[in-house]
Amino acid sequence: MADTIFGKIARREIPADIVYETDEVLAFRDLNPQAPVHVLFIPKRTLATLNEATAQDAELLGKLLLAAADYAKREGFADEGYRTVVNCNEHGGQTVFHLHVHLLAGRRMHWPPG
Ligand code: 5GP
């Protein structure tokens, strides 16, 4: 599958403001933040969209969400609250085709999203 900007970030070929890392997950600040805290959690291994995930990826998908929750606790905004979002394909608003979980925090979120 095609490489993306996030693949290059995962391989440290281009810079990013990395805030969290495990063996399989990397997180860095979004270039165009939509909240005071806006961090993207990606698997280091490339997976284009949620549609490509299989049962074999179940643990990895869980690790992405657990990483987001761990980061929220570490940073002290877990109790106040936050939002996690995975956009998929055109109608989901996905623009970078390397699966990622958005973590948004630091302001009150609205529902439904636009
Ligand atoms: P999507 O629309 O695919 O769900 O989210 C992609 C996100 O990646 C957007 O929020 C966008 O601002 C962010 N983004 C795009 N290119 C870069 C980049 O080169 N570096 C960083 N840190 N974020 C990026």
Side-chain angles (χ1 to χ4, degrees), residues 11-93:
R11 294 193 302 275
R12 307 302 217 265
E13 289 169 10
I14 61 165
D17 187 359
I18 293 169
V19 295
Y20 186 98
E21 183 169 16
T22 68
D23 285 353
E24 294 174 84
V25 174
L26 190 71
F28 49 89
R29 291 188 198 285
D30 196 293
L31 212 53
N32 183 24
Q34 301 301 312
V37 176
H38 188 172
V39 172
L40 303 171
F41 289 77
I42 66 166
K44 291 181 179 176
R45 175 163 65 75
T46 308
L47 200 56
T49 81
L50 196 53
N51 289 336
E52 275 71 47
T54 68
Q56 250 114 65
D57 301 308
E59 195 175 338
L60 181 61
L61 294 176
K63 284 179 177 175
L64 285 171
L65 286 177
L66 288 172
D70 187 36
Y71 178 75
K73 288 173 196 163
R74 266 191 213 183
E75 293 298 308
F77 58 81
D79 288 343
E80 194 170 49
Y82 55 91
R83 178 169 291 173
T84 52
V85 176
V86 178
N87 296 325
C88 184
N89 281 340
E90 189 183 347
H91 281 193

